[in-house]
Amino acid sequence: MICRAPTCDEAQGATHAGTNGRANVWRRSTPGRATHAGTNGHLSGFRRLPRPSPHRHAAALLLAVLIVACTLLGRPVHASQFDYGLEPRRIAEGVYVLIGATEDFSFANGGDIVNTGFIVGATGVIVIDTGPSRRYGEQMLAAIARVTEQPVVLTLNTHHHPDHFLGNQAFPPETLAALPGTIRGIETEGEAFSANMYRLNGDWMRGTEVFVPRQRVEPGRRTIAGRDIELLALGGHTDADLVVIDHATGTVFASDLLFHGRAPTTPHADIPRWLDSLDRLESLKNVQRWVPGHGELTEDTAPIAQTRAWLEWLTATIRDGAEAGLDMPELLATPIPERFFELELAESEFRRSVVHLFPAAEQAALAAGGVRSR
Amino acid sequence: MRFRSFSLRCLVVLAATFAVVAVDAQPLIGIGERDPLESSRWRDMQRQFFRDAQVVFDPRVRVSAPAVAEDPLAVPVAVDASALPEVEEILVFADFNPILKVLSFHPGAARPNLGFRIKLQQSSPVRAAARTRDGVWRVGGTWVNTTGGGCTLPSTGSGSPEWQERLNEVSGRIWPRVDGGERVRLMVIHPMDTGLAPGIPAFYIEDLVLADGAGNELARVESFEPVSENPVFTFDLPPGAGSADALRVGGRDNNGNPIDGRVTR
């Protein structure tokens, strides 16, 4: 029925269905949703013009051909075969990552906008996030099998956003594990996320269903599959964000607490808590490399500084705007400071974040006004 | 990769442009003036809201709203007709909403601009028509794309007893403006149920009046179901419009529950 313009992105489903618990509105069974995913929202303008004519059919055909052509030209993967082209990159002994695009969800990228990873131990493989779809999960599992013959013994979802758990289906169910808050989030909002992902990514999602992890992970340091692993239960990006540290190599999988070269998303954010989590990450000793949830990995703490700078600017801009009596459309017109130009999707994430965060700031500002009711 | 992605977007835009040109080649029958938003509903809007009155599209009526709505339950909209002289009424509607009319604003002593949030059921033009003293309706608007569903969802408040206790509670604040005028922002606690969520009848604020301390009306908003839950309104008053001490907020919902609050400086 509706095509959203191509500024959809990470955890986009979170916003509509998630924050207010209105879970079952954008079900994938709704006719036409998935088919229109990935096309431009402005098309809805013509769709409603009266009486289709040969002109319109020709235009639609031309458009379809061009979109398909652009899709094939624009990506190294072949959408027609639904192949994500996953090539695990070895970043340390036994540690591999799959770096996604710093883009929005779209049919062109099939939802591969997220970083996943795995750690190969002496007796098994630890998987960190399963990607945006069943196909991704299956292709990730196949990619792991090209690297090692060890079985997957633990499959972690770092948090409950759809690009981090919708590949769960491909992995042995008994290995699926997450923090209790993440399990709760997937249970309550998973279906709505899934429906939205069908809409955004189209047929890449085929066959994807929500698989809720049954195993609750506890934070702490222990040996898993022969690796010295530490799990940190943090939060702020969502209610529960799991950080995975491989001590032997000093690798930190920081989940979506870190964004690098891409503006952070905030549909479930608690920003003061998020900033505390960044402090905690920065205090970690002997870190050799950081794997952010989105964006390129680094050996320095640049993603921490970048994520913190963005969140602090965002909070201050929204709070100051509310305190100055601005309304949302005025705040939305705020220019992005030049220092954030290096971040992909800064404009669109700022606009989304204003919608997520302004109402609370506004209520605080209005409560400070002199009012007597009744 | 980035370059490729950019070129992809360019090509899609190019393709869309071709398609628009092809569609535009069709004759648009019976429309005196072409709708700049190219909505197939424009003629219906014209018939429904303006009948025999003179209607023109006028860029001086500015409607600001995000091109893509993050939340279909609360799409921020600002209407500004202050570039026009003698605006008596501003009518706001959305072509593709199941309930078209959003609100009617009588600016009175206030400036003819207003901020508020609306629910959208699907992507739609959001339009403002400003009626000037000469009786002419001057129309501006913008397309808002959304996943939709905003009108058929139950309000948060409809399921909460706490909300009922706070019904029609007003909060607000007055800010001095650099031009010597004032900005007034108000929030009223109200579920603003559309009647389109199963089993929940329409329940919404019909009338909201901003008055000076003595009770003289400064501006009035007649609101309808598509205004968002717990509506927030932004008014701008020119210098000297309000009285020195306080402003009063009055009104009622469609069940007759009164709104009565005082906003002090």
Side-chain angles (χ1 to χ4, degrees):
Chain A
M1 196 183 299
I2 300 307
C3 322
R4 193 182 191 271
T7 50
C8 323
D9 54 323
E10 200 267 338
Q12 201 272 330
T15 329
H16 304 302
T19 49
N20 44 34
R22 287 156 171 132
N24 47 10
V25 183
W26 296 278
R27 301 202 64 86
R28 63 176 164 274
S29 56
T30 309
R33 290 255 197 258
T35 8
H36 284 92
T39 57
N40 189 308
H42 297 284
L43 292 181
S44 51
F46 337 41
R47 195 167 46 72
R48 297 188 184 91
L49 284 170
R51 278 191 289 139
S53 70
H55 282 104
R56 273 193 78 206
H57 287 149
L61 187 64
L62 177 68
L63 184 61
V65 167
L66 281 175
I67 285 176
V68 170
C70 294
T71 306
L72 294 178
L73 286 172
R75 292 284 300 177
V77 297
H78 294 287
S80 57
Q81 293 158 21
F82 298 104
D83 181 357
Y84 286 103
L86 300 180
E87 295 291 343
R89 194 201 305 176
R90 184 178 178 279
I91 58 170
E93 184 274 311
V95 183
Y96 297 82
V97 293
L98 298 155
I99 302 289
T102 49
E103 298 173 3
D104 295 321
F105 291 125
S106 69
F107 182 73
N109 60 37
D112 180 13
I113 60 154
V114 61
N115 297 343
T116 61
F118 57 95
I119 304 171
V120 181
T123 57
V125 178
I126 303 159
V127 174
I128 298 146
D129 284 335
T130 60
S133 66
R134 174 185 186 155
R135 291 185 207 268
Y136 185 101
E138 288 168 352
Q139 291 171 29
M140 183 180 180
L141 193 61
I144 295 170
R146 291 199 297 272
V147 169
T148 176
E149 291 178 354
Q150 296 288 350
V152 172
V153 295
L154 181 65
T155 306
L156 296 167
N157 296 138
T158 58
H159 62 291
H160 82 292
H161 283 163
D163 44 339
H164 299 263
F165 76 83
L166 281 175
N168 280 3
Q169 228 169 330
F171 293 88
E174 68 281 4
T175 68
L176 298 174
L179 291 169
T182 301
I183 293 172
R184 213 162 39 237
I186 295 175
E187 278 170 349
T188 55
E189 300 180 47
E191 287 296 337
F193 288 157
S194 170
N196 207 35
M197 291 286 276
Y198 271 78
R199 197 173 54 72
L200 298 172
N201 302 325
D203 215 34
W204 286 91
M205 300 303 295
R206 181 174 292 185
T208 304
E209 287 175 27
V210 174
F211 272 53
V212 183
R214 292 290 158 218
Q215 202 185 134
R216 292 157 175 261
V217 293
E218 298 283 335
R221 189 166 175 173
R222 76 205 67 155
T223 302
I224 304 171
R227 303 286 296 212
D228 179 4
I229 299 290
E230 185 172 356
L231 302 176
L232 304 181
L234 302 179
H237 172 67
T238 66
D239 181 49
D241 299 299
L242 181 69
V243 172
V244 182
I245 305 170
D246 178 60
H247 277 290
T249 62
T251 305
V252 178
F253 285 88
S255 75
D256 279 10
L257 289 170
L258 293 188
F259 282 71
H260 188 211
R262 187 232 197 264
T265 65
T266 60
H268 294 88
D270 173 343
I271 291 184
R273 194 171 163 216
W274 192 341
L275 292 170
D276 288 346
S277 293
L278 294 180
D279 290 344
R280 176 76 191 280
L281 289 178
E282 198 155 37
S283 73
L284 294 175
K285 302 276 189 295
N286 304 319
V287 177
Q288 300 297 313
R289 63 193 65 77
W290 302 90
V291 184
H294 298 266
E296 191 52 56
L297 69 154
T298 58
E299 294 182 357
D300 59 22
T301 54
I304 298 181
Q306 215 177 57
T307 305
R308 184 188 283 132
W310 174 267
L311 294 178
E312 285 176 345
W313 170 74
L314 189 65
T315 311
T317 303
I318 289 172
R319 184 195 55 222
D320 295 351
E323 277 300 318
L326 295 190
D327 200 347
M328 264 160 106
E330 294 161 324
L331 190 57
L332 288 167
T334 307
I336 305 292
E338 206 175 316
R339 63 196 161 109
F340 297 126
F341 285 4
E342 58 180 346
L343 304 187
E344 298 280 349
L345 305 174
E347 284 278 352
S348 55
E349 287 308 336
F350 172 67
R351 286 195 291 267
R352 294 183 62 210
S353 292
V354 167
V355 175
H356 304 147
L357 305 172
F358 186 70
E362 170 180 81
Q363 279 173 42
L366 290 179
V371 168
R372 255 207 346 264
S373 202
R374 252 162 284 179
Chain B
M1 173 73 79
R2 206 185 285 186
F3 175 72
R4 283 184 167 183
S5 170
F6 177 72
S7 65
L8 165 78
R9 277 176 204 171
C10 291
L11 279 170
V12 170
V13 169
L14 190 66
T17 312
F18 270 123
V20 168
V21 170
V23 169
D24 278 358
Q26 295 176 85
L28 294 168
I29 303 154
I31 297 177
E33 196 177 359
R34 230 189 59 182
D35 173 17
L37 300 182
E38 301 185 348
S39 156
S40 59
R41 289 277 281 158
W42 169 246
R43 286 180 67 191
D44 299 330
M45 299 300 103
Q46 195 175 10
R47 202 176 298 124
Q48 173 148 354
F49 291 118
F50 310 113
R51 295 186 177 273
D52 301 325
Q54 196 187 342
V55 187
V56 294
F57 294 107
D58 193 326
R60 287 175 293 177
V61 180
R62 287 172 44 208
V63 177
S64 309
V68 178
E70 175 69 5
D71 181 357
L73 289 155
V75 180
V77 179
V79 172
D80 183 357
S82 56
L84 291 176
E86 301 177 318
V87 174
E88 297 189 332
E89 180 184 359
I90 298 176
L91 175 70
V92 179
F93 56 94
D95 295 20
F96 288 102
N97 247 7
I99 300 167
L100 301 169
K101 199 166 168 181
V102 175
L103 59 82
S104 169
F105 174 45
H106 304 269
R111 291 192 195 281
N113 49 266
L114 187 72
F116 49 93
R117 272 157 233 167
I118 69 172
K119 292 170 277 204
L120 282 182
Q121 184 65 14
Q122 56 180 323
S123 298
S124 175
V126 175
R127 302 187 198 256
R131 180 169 53 79
T132 40
R133 185 172 289 177
D134 56 10
V136 177
W137 289 95
R138 300 173 190 278
V139 180
T142 185
W143 266 95
V144 178
N145 289 282
T146 172
T147 52
C151 290
T152 47
L153 289 167
S155 60
T156 314
S158 60
S160 160
E162 185 205 340
W163 242 250
Q164 292 170 24
E165 284 165 20
R166 298 182 60 196
L167 185 75
N168 285 352
E169 187 181 297
V170 179
S171 55
R173 188 163 160 186
I174 302 169
W175 283 267
R177 304 287 275 178
V178 284
D179 65 356
E182 287 175 318
R183 164 157 294 191
V184 184
R185 304 203 67 219
L186 300 173
M187 182 168 79
V188 185
I189 301 292
H190 204 286
M192 299 298 286
D193 287 308
T194 58
L196 301 177
I200 303 171
F203 182 39
Y204 58 96
I205 296 170
E206 283 185 331
D207 196 30
L208 188 80
V209 176
L210 186 66
D212 65 16
N216 302 310
E217 179 176 316
L218 299 172
R220 172 186 294 268
V221 177
E222 290 171 55
S223 53
F224 296 90
E225 297 93 324
V227 172
S228 295
E229 183 173 7
N230 301 332
V232 183
F233 293 102
T234 302
F235 301 88
D236 282 321
L237 299 176
S243 57
D245 55 339
L247 295 174
R248 291 188 61 173
V249 183
R252 56 175 178 78
D253 64 28
N254 68 333
N255 281 14
N257 301 300
I259 298 165
D260 186 9
R262 270 164 59 88
V263 185
T264 53
R265 286 180 175 76

